[in-house]
Every structure is written in structure tokens, then in C-alpha cells.
Amino acid sequence: MRKAIFARVVAALILLSASLSFGAISADRLKAHVSSLADAKNEGRHAGTAGAAAAADYISKAFTELGGQVQRQDFGGRRTNIVAKIGAAERYVLLGAHYDGQGAGMPSASDNAAGVAVMIELARELKGRELPVSIIVVAFDDEEQGLNGSRYYVDHPLYPLDKAQAAIIFDTMGRQFMDLSSWTMFILGTEYSKELSAAVQKRIRPELLVAGTDLIGPRSDFAGFAIKHVPYLFFTHATHKDYHGPGDTADRVNYARLAQDSQLIAQIVEDIARLQTQPKFLETPSYPPDEIATLQHELELVEKERKDLPQAYRLMFADFKARLKSDNSRELRRIATSALLALATPRLSGFMVNFFLGPYYERENRRDIAAAVYEEALKWETDPSERRDLEEKIQALRSTAK
Ligand SMILES: [Zn+2]
């Protein structure tokens, strides 16, 4: 009897330790990576600086610890991609994230120390799952000034791109989109592959929002893979008030949610790794069916939570919500997404508001909305001559508005 109980206790302990050591991406490990990479001594990891080189060493060590053969791919100006292959199979899934940042005074924790942390811990997790493919991890340098590391990599791949089952890219992770109360993770790129789309749909949850890449444009390291027709997925928690600012600190990243989402991504990547046939890149994108619902949901959430919404956004959002019901154009969806991204980081919104949203409403002949949009731009414009131009534009629009 005693023996039986003892055996049962041992069995339970073994089960417990198994469930603790497998199938759990550690929030603590994610935090340790982000805190190290975003540490002030790395001075914001601007490409070509000593801080970026120190980050590269850290990542190199982490890849070695995972049992990968680490290679450094220098591409001039003291810039270097860090690449490692884990596993012996020729076919592989590539995990990629940029490690450079905004420079001194900008910890660049969510963008993109967190993406690098997710990449490292996913590789650790997937390594234990005996996948039929290898995992290739690539930490890209110099993303912030024009996706330079990933562009160089796809032109000089260390492993043939046609052996890639998929490229899975992470950028700007671990903060709540637009500082809203709800947690959302965006997945882009499903429009270029039926197989990857199916893998995502199999794991879909309410907090996962699937959208076409064209809604944000070629804004991260997936762009090079798209050009080379490598099927890809892009994961992001998207932008927030501290994006590209001094407030993007390691302590503001939500590690519990980051770990939870990494676990979900691990399932999706495992499913992709186990596909019998290699995913094909679709020449003609097939956009996700829920995009409009996604946009409507985000617009409503913002209206509900942001009581201080400036007039320009109130007018635009009311217009989007009405027209998204019947207007199926990609342009309207892109404009609505741009407005959301502009509002997410008002500090950086000037360009989008001034050169994208304003002109759009002028073309649409909605002069009342265009005027409000330029008034919003005026709030953030400091250059005196630009301010004068905006003021004249507003006056002209107001005098002829209905
Ligand atoms: Zn980034």
C-alpha cells in the first residue's frame, strides 16, 4: 500500500516536472533577454555602434547555448546579422527579428529586444519538439534605417531560400496596441499562402487579428522574404505611445502575455514545420475574410476608450465605420489602418496625417474632414513655414467646406 502511494506520488511528480519543463515558454527568460538587450549600456543598439555589437555578442551566446552553429554575416559599416542553424535537416523554418534600435536614450525594448527574446525562446521550445525540419534563427541588424540587414540576408542567404518552409518574423512585441485595455496580436502574411493561412486559422483566438500586409506596407523584415517569394508570417503587438521613444523600456513589457503568445506561436510554427508539402507563395494574394470586422472592432474600441479623441479622428472614424460596410477597396482599409497607427503614436503621426490622410480626404472632396485632419497635423508641426502652409490650407478648406 505504502509502496503504491509512493509510486503514485513519484509518477505525479514526474508528470509535473515534465509539464513544467516542456510546453512552457518562460516569462522570466524573456524578461532576462529584453532587460539585457535594452540595458542602458547598449545605448539603444543603433546599427554600427558598440552597443549594437554588444547586443550581437549576447545573441550569439544565446544561439550557441541552444546548440546552433553560429555565423556572423557582416555587411559593412560594422553591421552584422547573426545566424544559427539548429538541427540537421535541409528543410527549415526561419525565425527572424531585428536587434538594432533607435540609439542612445531609446531602450527599444518592445521594438525589438522583445522580438529577439521571442525568437530565442521559441527556438529553445521548438528544439525540444523533434520537428522534421531545422530551425534557422536570424537576428537582423540595421532594420530601423531601411530593413538593411534582412535585405542583405535575402540577397545573400546562408541557407537556400527555396528550402524554407516559411519565414516567421517578429517586430514590436509585448505592449498593448494603442495602449488600449485589450490585448491583441496581429498576424500578417497569410494572404500569400493557403498553407500558412490554414495553420493560423487552426489556432485562431479572439485576441488574434489577421490582416493583409498591405494595410501597413513593407514596414519590417518580412518585406525581403516577400520579394523573394518565401511564404512568411509577421507577428506583432504593434505600436503604442512609447514606440520609437525614450519610454520604450524593458519594465513596460508584459512578459506574462508575451510568454503566452509565444506559446501559441510555437504551436503554429510546429504545425507549419510538420506540413507534408512545402507551402507555396501565392502570386495573387487572397486576403483574410475578417479584416473588415477587425478594423471595425479596433475603431469601436478606440472610440469607447479614448474619450479625448481629437476631432479629426472622430470624423475619420465615423466615416470609416459607415463606409467599411459597403466599400470593399483595399485603399479604404489602408487609410483606416494608417489613421489607427497615427493615433497610436501621435508624436510620430505628422507625416501620415499631413501627406496621407489629409490628401485622401481632399481627393474624396470631404473638405470638412480634410480641414480637421490638417488641424491635427498643425498640433504636432513645429517648423514655422510648414505651419504657415498648413494654416493656409485649413483656411482654404474651411471657406469652401459644406
Ligand atoms: Zn522594429
Side-chain angles (χ1 to χ4, degrees), residues 8 47 54 112 124 142 189 216 218 246 288 290 294 321 330 380 386:
R8 248 184 248 172
N112 190 30
R124 186 191 313 281
D142 201 16
I216 65 158
D290 293 337
T294 293
K321 276 167 60 189
R330 301 301 302 168
W380 305 96
E386 291 283 345

Side-chain angles (χ1 to χ4, degrees), residues 9-73:
V9 168
V10 169
L13 283 175
I14 289 170
L15 263 176
L16 183 68
S17 74
S19 69
L20 287 177
S21 55
F22 297 108
I25 286 178
S26 153
D28 289 343
R29 277 184 192 274
L30 291 170
K31 186 177 181 178
H33 295 314
V34 175
S35 305
S36 278
L37 291 167
D39 192 281
K41 72 178 186 321
N42 287 346
E43 296 188 313
R45 311 184 304 283
H46 196 276
T49 65
D57 286 342
Y58 178 92
I59 295 161
S60 200
K61 242 186 237 162
F63 286 176
T64 306
E65 200 189 292
L66 293 173
Q69 306 168 329
V70 181
Q71 288 176 271
R72 280 171 177 258
Q73 182 180 49

Side-chain angles (χ1 to χ4, degrees), residues 98 111-112 143-144 171-172 243-244:
H98 77 85
D111 177 21
N112 190 30
E143 186 266 2
E144 298 289 2
D171 197 352
T172 309
Y243 172 69
H244 285 188

Side-chain angles (χ1 to χ4, degrees), residues 291-292 323-333:
E291 252 177 355
I292 287 187
R323 280 197 299 147
L324 279 168
K325 288 178 187 141
S326 54
D327 182 340
N328 272 318
S329 70
R330 301 301 302 168
E331 189 187 24
L332 179 62
R333 295 181 202 190

Side-chain angles (χ1 to χ4, degrees), residues 191-192 229 280-285:
E191 70 272 24
Y192 289 112
H229 285 189
K280 273 192 216 45
F281 190 93
L282 298 173
E283 298 284 337
T284 312

